[in-house]
Structure formats: C-alpha cells, structure tokens
Amino acid sequence: MAEENAIDNAKEKFSEISVAEFFSKNKELAGFSNPTRALYQTVRELVENALDATDSHGILPEVKIYIKEVEPENEERPARYEVSVEDNGIGVPKTVMAQAFGKVLFSSKYVIRQTRGMYGLGVKAVVLYSQTTTGRPITVVSSQEDSNFVYYQNIKIDIKKNEPMVVEDGQLDKRSSWHGTIASAIVEGDWTRAKPKIIEYVRRTAIIAPYAELWLVTPEGEIYFFPRATKKMPKPPREAKPHPHGVDLEQVRSMLMSTQAETLLDFLKEEFQGIGDKTATEFLRHVGLKPDINPKTLLKKEKLKDLEALVTALRNYRGFKGPRSDYLSPIGEELIELGLTRMFKPEWVKAVTRPARAYQGHPFIVEVGIAYGGAIQPQEEPILLRFANKIPLLYEEKEDVSYKVLTNIDWGRYGVQEPYQLAVLVHVASTKVPYKGVGKESISEIPELESEIRNGIHEVARSLRIYISRKAREELAKEKIVSIAKYIPEVARSLAILSSPPEDPNRYRELEPKVMELLISKVAASIEMPKIDGRQEDPRLIVERVIKGVSIQEVS
Amino acid sequence: MAEENAIDNAKEKFSEISVAEFFSKNKELAGFSNPTRALYQTVRELVENALDATDSHGILPEVKIYIKEVEPENEERPARYEVSVEDNGIGVPKTVMAQAFGKVLFSSKYVIRQTRGMYGLGVKAVVLYSQTTTGRPITVVSSQEDSNFVYYQNIKIDIKKNEPMVVEDGQLDKRSSWHGTIASAIVEGDWTRAKPKIIEYVRRTAIIAPYAELWLVTPEGEIYFFPRATKKMPKPPREAKPHPHGVDLEQVRSMLMSTQAETLLDFLKEEFQGIGDKTATEFLRHVGLKPDINPKTLLKKEKLKDLEALVTALRNYRGFKGPRSDYLSPIGEELIELGLTRMFKPEWVKAVTRPARAYQGHPFIVEVGIAYGGAIQPQEEPILLRFANKIPLLYEEKEDVSYKVLTNIDWGRYGVQEPYQLAVLVHVASTKVPYKGVGKESISEIPELESEIRNGIHEVARSLRIYISRKAREELAKEKIVSIAKYIPEVARSLAILSSPPEDPNRYRELEPKVMELLISKVAASIEMPKIDGRQEDPRLIVERVIKGVSIQEVS
C-alpha cells in the first residue's frame, strides 16, 4: 500500500530560484529576522558601506545617519522608517550604481582585501527587505570626486531575475566639491526596541574609528554627535593576491585559465603573494613539476593528478612566507587606547596589536585593548567589546569565539577583583573574517584565531597585573612613608632640642630644619617607589606632603 | 593629502559572482567549516535527501550509509573518504538529475511543504566541497519506480556559471523492481573526530524515525544497524498554498502575474490556503476593494496603493483561518515514546504533539517527549534531543531556542531531583523551520515557537510531576502496608488462638486462615494506592507478598 502511495506522490516539482529570491525568502539569514533586528541591520549595512567608501580609501570619514518615521505603526503593521546614510566617500560610478544596489552577488567586495563588507550582500538585503515590506525602492545619490555630476537612481530588484530595476534616475550639475554617497531606504521597523542597539552601534563605531565624525539623528529629533577625536588614520587596507595556503582546486583551475604567465614558474610568481624566484623553484622541485612547462597544460584532463598534487602542495608547503599582513589595516594600539579612554575614562588603559597570523591561507591580526578602573561601572562580568574589520558586533555575543575565550580567563590571577571594573576590546582584522552567518554577528571558533585572542588578552592582562601589583606596592610604600613621616617633625624637634647646648636653648630653631632635612632624606632614600608605566612617585614629595599636614606644639 | 590618496585608490573593482562561487568561497556558511564538520555535513545532507525521497512519499525508508577511506591522510592533507548513501526512495528523474545535483538553487524544495531540505543547497554544498577539496564529481545512480532503466551520472558544478557539468553518464536496463537513489561523494574529512557525531546522528535519526531501517558501515568495517521498530509511519507532508499571513509584496505581485483567476475574489480563493467565498468577500469589504475586478489590474503602477493595502491586509487580517496544519507531518506521540523507550529504556516516558501554531504565516507543530529514570545515566543537566522536520540537530546546541527554554525550567517544581535522569526531546515541524544559518544546526528564538516549546515541556513535565508524586505516594502507601502487614500472621494466630474454645485448642488452625483473610481485607481496603498512568497496584497483592515472607514459629 505504502508503495502505491509512493507512485501517486512521486512527482517532485523541481524549480530554480534566483539568489535574490533565495535571500528574499530567507531574510533572517542576513539578519532581517524581525522589525527590530531589521531596522538595526539596515542602519549597519548602510553605515558599513559608507565607512568602506571612506577610510578604506584614505578619506577621513564623515557619516550622517538620519532615521525618520514616515508612517506610524497601526493595528496591522509596524511603523515605517526612512533610513538615510550620507558619506563623504569615493562615490559609486554611474555605470555600476544600479547593479551595486540592485543585483545580489554583484559587488566590489570580491577581491582579497580587508573590508567591512564581506559577502557583497548587505545593501542588497536592505533593498530586498525594503521592497518586500514597504514596496519602496532604495534611493541612491552619488558623485565621484572627479565627476561634474551628481547622479541619482531609485533602484529595486527584479527578484525573479536578480536584476536591478531602475525606477527613476537623473543627474544634476555639481556646483560644489562634494563627493560621496547618500543611500535612503524605507523599511518596516521597531525603533523603540532597536534604539538602544543602534545608538550603541554608533557609539562603538566611534570607539574603533575615533578619526571618524559620526552623526545620528533619531526619529524623535535627538542628535547623537561623535566628533572626530584624531586625524590620525590607520593606513588603508590594500588588495592582495591569494596566498597559496588559501586556494582550492577550483580556484587554481580558474587562475590557470586566466593567467598570462607562460611558464609554471612565472604563474606561481605572478599570481600568488609572497612567492619569489627562489621559493618557486624550490617548491616546484618539491612537487616534482618542471618550472618551464606551460601552466595551462595542467588544465588537461590527463594532467589531473599533477594539478591535484600542485594544489595540495600549494595548500600545505611550509616554505612559503606567511600571508601578507602589511596589506591588512589594523587600528593600532594608540587609536584603540584613545577610543577606550574616550568611552570609559578608565584609570588604566592599554592595547596591543598582535603580529599577523593566518588560518587556511587568510591573514589576520588580532588586537586587544583593556580598560581598567576609573569611571567604569562595576559589573559581574568584564564588558566585552567585539569588533571585526572595524565593525562593532553587538548581537549573539555568547556564540562568539571572543566570548568563549574571555569567560575562561581567570582574572584573579591578574589581580583584578570582582565586581569587575574592566572592559576588554577584541578586534579581528582579516581579508576573510570567519563569521558564523551572513548577518555578520559572531565569529567562528577557528583554533588559530582563538589562540591569538587568548594570547592578546593574556599579553595586555600581564601589563595590567604589573600595574595592579605595583599600585599595591606603591600603596604599601606610601603607607609606610606616611606612618614614619608623621613622626619626623616631632623627632626632628626633639633631636634638635637635645642637640642644642644648654646655654643656648633656642639654638634648636636653627638645628631643627637641618635635622628635619636629614630625616626627610634618610626616610625618602630608604623607600623605593615602584615604577608604574614609566611614572614613579618621588617619595620625598610624599614625605613633605605628610609633614606639611602635621602640626606640633610650639616649644613653650 | 588624504584626499589625494583617495583619488588614487578610488577604483573599486566591481564584479559579479555566481551563487555557486559564493557558497564555494564561504563553505562554512553551509556547515563545511573544517574536515570534521565537513564529513559530518556530507553524511547529513545525503541522508536527509534520502529520507525526503522515502517517508515524505509514503515509502518505509531503507537507508544505507557507507563511509570508506579511499586515501589515508598524509603530512600535507587530511584523509579522503567516499561517502555513499543509498535509499529506496522515489528516484530522481533523468531529466533533472544533473541540475538537481549540479546547480545551486535548483531544487524540489521550493514549494510550501515540510521537508528536511529547506534551502535547496545541501547536496550542492557537498558537491562544491568535494570538487574543491578532491576534484572529484558526485556520482548519482537512480531509478524511478515506473522506469525500465537505471541512470547514472558523474556530476560537477561549473562554479563560475553555476551550471552542472556531466563528466560521465549512462543507463542500464533494470532487471529488478529496485527504485531509489545512490549518491557517492569523495571528500576530505577527519573520520576519527567526526565518528562519534556521525554515529549519534544516525542513532537519533532512528529515534525520530523508528519506522526507518538504517545501516551505517564505517571505514573500520563496523556496522551499525538500526532495525525498523514499527511499520507505522506518520502521514507524509503535503504541499500547501501560501497562507495570507506569510506573503509579502513581491510574492503577491508574482502570484498576480501568474494567476489564472479572472476576479480578485477568485484570486484569493484559488491562490491562498484557507480562504473560502465568505471569508474572501468579507475580507475584500474590509480592505475596500471590489471583488469582481481583474486581479492583474493591481499590477499597474497607479494601483500601487491598492496593492500595498491588499498585502498589508493579507498579512494581518484576523478573519483568516490559521495556517493549515493538516499538511504538516508531525511524528506523533506514539512514535516519539517508542523512539525514546528504545534509546533510553527509561522508567517513564511520555510525549505530546501540541496543536499547530503559526509564525509569520508559517504553520508549525511542536512535539515534546520526556524520558525519566530507568537506564538513563544521571547527568548534571537534562539531556536535550533536538529535531527539526525529523532531522536531528547536534551542533550549536547552546544557540538553540530549545536550549534556552530548557535551561529556564525549574525541574525541582516537577519533583525531579539532581543529578538528572532526564531526557527531553523537542521536535519542530514546519513548512519553514527558522534556522539560524543554512547549515541547519540551531533554531532562532521566534517568540511563538519559544512559547510553544515551553508549553510543550510544561505539559509533559506536569504529567511527570504527577507520576513522580504518585510514585512517592505509592512508596509511602507501600511502606505503610508493609509495616502493618508484617504483623498480620502473628496477630492472626494470636486472635485465632484466643478465639479457640479451650476444649479444642487446635481449632485455631481452622480459624487462623479466616482471621488472616479478614485482616488482609481490612488492611488492603484501608489503604488506597494512587493510580499511575492508568495502572494501580492492588494493595492486597502487596500484603500477601509481605505475609509470604514472614515466618512465624509453629505453636508448640
């Protein structure tokens, strides 16, 4: 019987959907799971595009975010908001504008470079969300620096075809030197719930990019302004060639197809990063392939074994230099310390930029900053601030590799007491951040990354331990000085009186300052103050401060 | 200066990648993040396809999984395994075979139906992983029941174009009545680490589908055989029309384009589920649209406001019936209890299939089973078994909505003591399971779902509390019976002796059984045993058991 049913039902309807339809049906994959998250994600994606268009190209960012309620919520649906983000970036060329905003998987992010955008999806996910919830296109206004025009387009996505539909477009003469992009989308959202997250997002962006000027204008008309704290910027990331450890068979095949190199040796030298003549020659000897063959012969079917051997060796050969980290753009210790100081006004702050490492051929740099004491509110757990390629990550903290590492740190070992007045910042910069999902909220537990984050936290925490223990020693020394110094005036006077000749009892007045000076020097010299971050208190000043506070009776 | 740099750098390279290239570059998104996970994911995807081809079509599944090491690991790379999965399902038609295995986003899953596959990605992700790590195609052998041939194809994906490449194909005459599919992929993997997860995966599949026969043959040649425990199968899921609460503007637009309906009223009745003539008429009155207009007029630009109003009302109108749950295929209480019993041999087991609910227009059913005591190993936390559309979910437990709910249950309230001898099974069946990622490992915290899971656990736990408290009462009653009953023989004899006439002292032998019987009845009647799951112990039997164990001295 069951078998008979099977025949009746054995008609599966196969069909193809476009990638636009895929992400439109599964909006939660890109972070648009409900009106709160969707509004937050809309702001994020537009802001991250804005920043990628500025600091990644050496421009000091000025980013303005306007969120306006355009229709209030009603019984039937959430409110609608217009989210506009303006930047002073390089602008979008007119020729690619429609596709860059209206075609999923068309992007400037498909190169090997450290960018905030990673998947080439974000802004298109905004457009998909906007048009499926409110039916409205995204409006893009943009001008490049060398252009005489400002272009604008209203763009939707033909979801079935994954093609842009330009609903309206035009151009204006440019009178000013303005360049940049303004992107505006109208989306369903829940501002009340999203508000704290959005403000926190902007605030953390200001921490990680203190060289940016950020404005957030809320639907209530509140203005959150984060002024530029420095003009110093990290050097922009640069595009890199693939590292041999990071390629796979298909990628090498496609590199072979497009290469101009005429020998296998040249192919290696020209198409990969960090392979020079010597390394390439040694490597090919190791693989057992002739350096002067035409690389394209490896594409032949009968050469599959050779190609496989080449790729396996490329992925694993230990003689290559590590992935180029000089193409990455870490924030730098100074800017991290500045950002943390500005945010927390701590008693102590320190950051470290770790040396570059690699996982699966992708270079990465971990940076860790710790702020301690001062105005930090005491908490049950240390505050964790996560960043990846200069993006703050706010959701799904407990799933993040940094959270895992942080919860396993024994802060007692570093002299930090509960409740914690401690904020730990972790920044991961990479040409490929291993996010858990396309919504870019948490980072996977890649062993190389995990260990670098642990090392980074330990490194800064060791400085913190030294600071805390020296501070404790300083406290102790101070107490000692105070407890001795407070007797100095009395002792000095007594000694002076004792040493005065009986015929001239007032002589003590002359002797007293000398004895006092002697005692001060002795006491000050006997106690060594610890050096804390290069600063060392002068014990003499402490002694003098104490003495100043002691009054002794005049000798009658 | 910075501005000048900007000009130099202001050349963004925009490019388009295919969806195959996207998932090839970002394999971790589909669960292929390292050799262990990748091997596990390969098995999963093939098994889930196999099961979808059987029980979803009323066929009792026989699924055989063979994992063979084809090349050992060496210094440079992980070992390679051939993973073959054979099913007795409906087979793949020759006409779509290449695309179904060799084109991302071509699938039979893009209908509204409860299936294990959800995104139409899984098996293609296997092919992408296989060909980028080992360069090998997937081999598919398949025959449909009504076909006279067995077809086979070796399929790869042209990643740049997202098109299938058939490397080899052919057909054989079919001599037997076999139908089904065998899919084999050769992938890099780490069997040693993946082994426990893969075995657990198959074991849990056997729990949730006790009507399936499952074989796993490991690289070591071990055979794990899970025989069919029942021939009873849940009714297969059926394809549904969209529920109005689940559509969006774009979807309605595309439904309007393809509809055959000539009036708006008919459009609603024909294209949506659960809208009859009366509901449609009332609904259109509510929206203020005429029922007899041609629905396609709403596609006109000037009718956008009307279309928007229609969609908003569709999404929110309260007069519609809930999404059809009779199209879903829950497992059923009986099969869940059977599966849990088979796996845990518990002292107590119970399952509940909750009434259907909906989120965002998608119907879902939560099922909860609890096994308690018996052979369950005591643990610090209850064991959680997560399932979605009959798939076991093993990774990323802590991110799952069920974990969140479970950790907030106060088991003390239900009389369950630590350490826990407790296993909680949660199954979510839906036409759209809200996974957090395309790797299908954890379910999002959708409020409607969270509350149903909580209700389900509470419901079963309340029965458990009753069981535990009745068992405690039973224990108490038993103790009471025992403590009284053990005196019955002595008392009965004494009474019998006392009641015997002095002239016939042996009369007591006659009286004794009568007195005994009287006492037994009295004691048994005085104590009420609690009813536990319909079973109630007979106190008389307990009394008799006790008495049997008591020996009293013969009267001398």
Side-chain angles (χ1 to χ4, degrees):
Chain A
M1 284 300 291
E3 294 291 327
E4 271 175 37
N5 268 337
I7 303 178
D8 291 344
N9 280 312
K11 293 159 210 139
E12 285 284 48
K13 283 181 214 156
F14 285 87
S15 60
E16 185 182 353
I17 62 172
S18 78
V19 65
E21 196 172 348
F22 179 78
F23 282 106
S24 175
K25 278 184 183 216
N26 301 293
K27 293 185 188 77
E28 67 285 357
L29 296 177
F32 294 78
S33 45
N34 57 51
T36 307
R37 277 296 289 274
L39 186 56
Y40 170 78
Q41 199 74 18
T42 300
V43 172
R44 266 193 73 167
E45 298 294 359
L46 297 182
V47 169
E48 285 161 21
N49 269 7
L51 288 168
D52 271 345
T54 50
D55 65 357
S56 297
H57 299 274
I59 302 173
L60 281 168
E62 285 170 31
V63 175
K64 293 172 188 146
I65 309 154
Y66 303 92
I67 306 176
K68 249 199 322 234
E69 186 182 292
V70 290
E71 285 179 49
E73 78 174 311
N74 61 36
E75 267 183 17
E76 301 206 323
R77 55 157 183 76
R80 291 170 167 194
Y81 298 91
E82 182 186 62
V83 179
S84 283
V85 175
E86 175 179 344
D87 67 57
N88 60 333
I90 57 167
V92 184
K94 185 194 169 198
T95 49
V96 296
M97 189 183 273
Q99 291 185 293
F101 288 86
K103 187 180 176 82
V104 180
L105 302 188
F106 180 95
S107 173
S108 61
K109 315 292 179 183
Y110 303 131
V111 290
I112 301 176
R113 191 174 55 162
Q114 174 192 331
T115 44
R116 294 176 176 81
M118 195 89 196
Y119 299 107
L121 270 182
V123 76
K124 271 78 82 174
V126 171
V127 179
L128 288 173
Y129 178 71
S130 150
Q131 87 184 53
T132 51
T133 56
T134 72
R136 306 287 289 273
I138 193 166
T139 300
V140 184
V141 178
S142 191
S143 183
Q144 294 187 284
E145 192 173 24
D146 52 6
S147 166
N148 295 318
F149 300 99
V150 175
Y151 299 99
Y152 65 89
Q153 293 187 353
N154 287 347
I155 303 162
K156 288 175 119 179
I157 299 177
D158 180 332
I159 293 181
K160 290 277 172 217
K161 296 188 195 143
N162 186 31
E163 287 294 343
M165 297 190 295
V166 177
V167 183
E168 205 186 325
D169 65 350
Q171 67 183 59
L172 304 164
D173 290 344
K174 189 160 75 171
R175 301 278 156 85
S176 68
S177 63
W178 181 76
H179 56 90
T181 301
I182 308 169
S184 311
I186 295 179
V187 297
E188 276 187 9
D190 183 337
W191 166 251
T192 313
R193 282 165 189 255
K195 181 178 181 180
K197 286 280 185 188
I198 290 174
I199 291 170
E200 186 63 17
Y201 174 82
V202 179
R203 201 167 76 107
R204 293 203 184 177
T205 302
I207 295 179
I208 207 73
Y211 50 83
E213 181 181 297
L214 304 171
W215 297 80
L216 167 64
V217 183
T218 72
E220 304 92 333
E222 295 165 7
I223 297 175
Y224 292 81
F225 174 52
F226 297 87
R228 182 170 288 138
T230 172
K231 288 201 167 185
K232 198 182 155 171
M233 264 204 297
K235 67 173 180 40
R238 284 197 288 161
E239 189 184 333
K241 290 175 186 167
H243 187 274
H245 287 175
V247 297
D248 62 38
L249 197 60
E250 286 303 318
Q251 209 176 330
V252 175
R253 211 191 284 272
S254 111
M255 288 164 77
L256 284 168
M257 281 191 235
S258 62
T259 188
Q260 306 287 324
E262 287 176 4
T263 70
L264 187 53
L265 191 82
D266 284 345
F267 171 69
L268 293 174
K269 285 160 59 185
E270 288 168 16
E271 303 292 343
F272 292 92
Q273 58 167 270
I275 305 190
D277 201 67
K278 193 163 152 255
T279 311
T281 308
E282 273 166 24
F283 170 74
L284 287 175
R285 192 175 311 131
H286 165 83
V287 198
L289 287 173
K290 296 219 178 90
D292 54 356
I293 59 170
N294 181 335
K296 291 189 198 282
T297 57
L298 291 171
L299 290 167
K300 288 184 193 158
K301 215 172 175 179
E302 65 272 20
K303 294 285 184 188
L304 181 63
K305 282 277 160 205
D306 284 349
L307 178 60
E308 275 188 34
L310 176 73
V311 175
T312 300
L314 280 169
R315 290 167 65 89
N316 297 287
Y317 184 65
R318 284 166 217 268
F320 299 128
K321 270 183 253 160
R324 285 193 75 141
S325 59
D326 54 336
Y327 279 32
L328 292 180
S329 173
I331 302 156
E333 301 172 354
E334 189 185 332
L335 289 186
I336 294 179
E337 291 173 6
L338 179 69
L340 285 173
T341 304
R342 194 155 77 134
M343 181 169 188
F344 291 108
K345 301 183 181 47
E347 168 188 332
W348 182 91
V349 68
K350 190 170 169 60
V352 62
T353 299
R354 298 275 309 166
R357 289 289 150 85
Y359 78 93
Q360 299 162 20
H362 310 293
F364 70 88
I365 289 178
V366 167
E367 300 183 284
V368 171
I370 295 184
Y372 169 79
I376 301 176
Q377 287 301 309
Q379 311 260 344
E380 268 181 54
E381 284 186 1
I383 300 164
L384 173 61
L385 305 165
R386 298 176 293 133
F387 296 90
N389 284 1
K390 301 173 190 160
I391 301 177
L393 308 181
L394 265 70
Y395 279 96
E396 299 178 22
E397 177 180 276
K398 296 203 169 139
E399 301 165 24
D400 195 283
V401 59
S402 296
Y403 182 81
K404 183 183 165 198
V405 172
L406 189 62
T407 48
N408 284 315
I409 303 267
D410 172 9
W411 289 103
R413 268 183 56 198
Y414 296 105
V416 182
Q417 308 294 327
E418 286 182 65
Y420 299 105
Q421 280 188 283
L422 198 66
V424 178
L425 177 153
V426 178
H427 178 229
V428 176
S430 178
T431 48
K432 186 168 195 308
V433 176
Y435 290 115
K436 288 199 168 170
V438 292
K440 297 184 291 183
E441 278 300 356
S442 62
I443 298 180
S444 305
E445 290 156 19
I446 304 283
E448 294 90 339
L449 190 57
E450 191 172 331
S451 111
E452 265 304 288
I453 293 171
R454 188 175 301 109
N455 293 342
I457 295 179
H458 281 311
E459 184 178 339
V460 186
R462 275 193 296 276
S463 295
L464 178 58
R465 180 180 56 202
I466 294 170
Y467 169 75
I468 291 175
S469 81
R470 290 199 179 148
K471 222 183 70 169
R473 269 169 49 211
E474 187 185 61
E475 284 302 316
L476 219 65
K478 272 188 191 163
E479 271 172 38
K480 214 159 131 191
I481 294 175
V482 169
S483 65
I484 299 173
K486 64 186 177 192
Y487 297 107
I488 289 182
E490 193 72 48
V491 172
R493 174 154 310 168
S494 303
L495 283 175
I497 290 174
L498 281 174
S499 314
S500 298
E503 65 277 12
D504 186 3
N506 278 332
R507 182 71 194 286
Y508 87 92
R509 291 188 196 277
E510 233 171 90
L511 279 170
E512 189 180 352
K514 288 178 191 163
V515 177
M516 181 96 92
E517 171 55 32
L518 192 76
L519 288 172
I520 289 174
S521 304
K522 284 272 175 206
V523 169
S526 74
I527 287 169
E528 199 193 344
M529 297 300 289
K531 211 183 235 175
I532 304 179
D533 296 338
R535 168 186 68 78
Q536 192 175 24
E537 278 207 64
D538 182 355
R540 192 180 167 92
L541 295 177
I542 304 173
V543 175
E544 284 171 353
R545 221 163 33 234
V546 173
I547 291 174
K548 214 183 251 167
V550 176
S551 70
I552 53 169
Q553 280 208 312
E554 271 304 296
V555 175
S556 57
Chain B
M1 283 299 293
E3 293 291 328
E4 270 174 38
N5 269 336
I7 302 178
D8 291 345
N9 280 313
K11 292 159 210 140
E12 286 285 48
K13 284 182 212 153
F14 285 86
S15 60
E16 185 181 353
I17 63 173
S18 79
V19 64
E21 194 171 351
F22 179 77
F23 282 107
S24 177
K25 278 184 184 215
N26 301 294
K27 293 186 188 73
E28 68 283 359
L29 296 177
F32 295 78
S33 45
N34 57 52
T36 308
R37 276 295 290 273
L39 186 55
Y40 169 78
Q41 199 76 17
T42 299
V43 172
R44 263 192 77 166
E45 297 294 0
L46 296 182
V47 169
E48 285 161 21
N49 269 6
L51 289 168
D52 271 345
T54 49
D55 67 356
S56 297
H57 298 275
I59 302 173
L60 281 168
E62 285 170 33
V63 175
K64 293 172 189 148
I65 308 155
Y66 304 92
I67 306 176
K68 251 201 317 239
E69 187 182 290
V70 289
E71 284 179 50
E73 78 174 311
N74 61 34
E75 266 184 16
E76 300 206 321
R77 56 158 183 75
R80 289 170 170 197
Y81 298 91
E82 182 188 64
V83 179
S84 281
V85 175
E86 175 180 343
D87 66 57
N88 61 334
I90 56 168
V92 184
K94 187 195 168 199
T95 47
V96 296
M97 190 183 272
Q99 289 185 294
F101 288 85
K103 189 182 174 82
V104 182
L105 302 188
F106 180 95
S107 173
S108 62
K109 315 290 179 184
Y110 302 132
V111 291
I112 300 176
R113 191 174 56 162
Q114 175 192 331
T115 43
R116 294 177 176 81
M118 194 88 196
Y119 299 109
L121 270 182
V123 77
K124 272 77 81 172
V126 171
V127 179
L128 288 172
Y129 178 71
S130 152
Q131 86 184 55
T132 50
T133 57
T134 73
R136 306 288 288 275
I138 192 165
T139 299
V140 184
V141 178
S142 191
S143 183
Q144 294 187 283
E145 193 174 23
D146 52 5
S147 166
N148 296 319
F149 300 99
V150 175
Y151 299 100
Y152 65 88
Q153 293 188 355
N154 286 348
I155 303 161
K156 287 174 116 178
I157 299 176
D158 181 332
I159 293 181
K160 290 277 173 219
K161 295 188 195 143
N162 186 31
E163 287 294 341
M165 298 190 296
V166 178
V167 182
E168 205 187 326
D169 64 350
Q171 67 183 60
L172 303 164
D173 288 345
K174 187 160 76 171
R175 300 278 156 84
S176 69
S177 63
W178 181 76
H179 57 91
T181 302
I182 307 170
S184 311
I186 295 179
V187 297
E188 277 188 8
D190 183 336
W191 167 251
T192 312
R193 282 164 189 255
K195 181 178 180 180
K197 286 280 186 187
I198 289 175
I199 291 172
E200 186 63 19
Y201 174 80
V202 180
R203 202 167 76 104
R204 292 203 185 177
T205 301
I207 295 179
I208 206 76
Y211 51 83
E213 181 180 295
L214 303 173
W215 296 81
L216 167 64
V217 183
T218 73
E220 304 93 333
E222 296 165 7
I223 297 175
Y224 292 81
F225 174 52
F226 298 85
R228 181 169 290 138
T230 173
K231 289 200 166 186
K232 200 182 154 172
M233 265 204 297
K235 67 171 181 39
R238 285 196 289 161
E239 188 184 334
K241 290 175 186 166
H243 188 274
H245 288 174
V247 296
D248 62 36
L249 196 59
E250 288 303 319
Q251 211 176 328
V252 174
R253 212 191 286 271
S254 112
M255 288 163 77
L256 284 168
M257 280 190 237
S258 63
T259 188
Q260 305 288 325
E262 287 177 7
T263 68
L264 187 53
L265 190 82
D266 284 344
F267 171 70
L268 293 174
K269 285 160 58 185
E270 287 167 19
E271 304 291 342
F272 292 91
Q273 59 167 269
I275 305 190
D277 201 69
K278 193 165 153 254
T279 311
T281 308
E282 272 167 25
F283 170 73
L284 286 175
R285 194 175 310 133
H286 165 83
V287 197
L289 287 172
K290 295 218 178 90
D292 55 355
I293 58 169
N294 181 335
K296 292 191 196 280
T297 56
L298 291 171
L299 292 166
K300 288 184 193 156
K301 214 170 175 180
E302 66 271 22
K303 295 285 182 185
L304 181 63
K305 281 278 160 205
D306 283 348
L307 178 60
E308 274 189 38
L310 175 73
V311 175
T312 301
L314 281 169
R315 291 168 64 89
N316 297 286
Y317 184 65
R318 284 166 215 268
F320 300 129
K321 270 183 253 161
R324 283 193 77 140
S325 59
D326 54 337
Y327 279 30
L328 293 180
S329 172
I331 302 158
E333 300 172 355
E334 190 185 329
L335 289 186
I336 294 179
E337 290 174 6
L338 178 69
L340 284 174
T341 302
R342 194 154 77 134
M343 181 170 190
F344 291 109
K345 300 183 182 46
E347 166 189 333
W348 182 90
V349 68
K350 190 171 169 58
V352 61
T353 299
R354 298 275 308 167
R357 289 288 149 86
Y359 78 93
Q360 298 163 21
H362 310 294
F364 69 89
I365 289 178
V366 167
E367 300 184 283
V368 171
I370 296 184
Y372 169 78
I376 302 175
Q377 288 300 309
Q379 312 261 344
E380 267 180 56
E381 283 188 0
I383 299 164
L384 173 61
L385 305 165
R386 297 175 294 133
F387 296 91
N389 285 0
K390 301 174 190 158
I391 301 176
L393 308 181
L394 265 71
Y395 280 96
E396 300 179 21
E397 176 180 279
K398 295 203 170 139
E399 300 165 24
D400 195 284
V401 59
S402 296
Y403 182 82
K404 185 184 163 198
V405 172
L406 189 62
T407 48
N408 285 316
I409 303 269
D410 173 8
W411 289 104
R413 267 184 55 197
Y414 296 105
V416 182
Q417 307 294 326
E418 286 182 66
Y420 298 106
Q421 281 188 282
L422 198 66
V424 178
L425 178 154
V426 178
H427 178 230
V428 177
S430 177
T431 48
K432 185 167 196 307
V433 177
Y435 290 115
K436 286 198 171 173
V438 292
K440 296 183 291 182
E441 278 300 356
S442 62
I443 299 180
S444 305
E445 290 157 18
I446 305 283
E448 294 89 339
L449 190 58
E450 191 172 331
S451 110
E452 264 306 288
I453 294 172
R454 189 174 301 109
N455 292 343
I457 296 180
H458 281 311
E459 185 178 338
V460 186
R462 273 193 297 272
S463 295
L464 178 59
R465 180 179 57 202
I466 292 170
Y467 169 75
I468 291 176
S469 81
R470 289 199 178 149
K471 221 183 69 167
R473 268 169 48 209
E474 188 185 58
E475 284 303 315
L476 219 67
K478 273 189 193 164
E479 273 173 39
K480 213 159 130 190
I481 292 175
V482 168
S483 64
I484 298 173
K486 62 187 178 194
Y487 297 108
I488 289 182
E490 194 70 51
V491 171
R493 175 155 309 168
S494 304
L495 282 175
I497 291 172
L498 281 175
S499 313
S500 299
E503 65 277 13
D504 183 5
N506 278 332
R507 182 70 196 287
Y508 89 91
R509 291 188 198 278
E510 229 172 275
L511 278 171
E512 189 180 353
K514 287 179 192 162
V515 177
M516 181 98 92
E517 171 54 32
L518 192 75
L519 287 173
I520 291 174
S521 306
K522 283 273 175 208
V523 169
S526 75
I527 287 170
E528 200 193 342
M529 297 301 288
K531 212 182 235 175
I532 303 180
D533 295 338
R535 167 185 70 76
Q536 191 175 24
E537 278 207 64
D538 182 354
R540 193 182 166 93
L541 295 176
I542 305 172
V543 174
E544 284 170 352
R545 219 160 38 233
V546 172
I547 290 172
K548 214 182 254 169
V550 177
S551 69
I552 53 171
Q553 282 206 312
E554 270 305 296
V555 174
S556 56

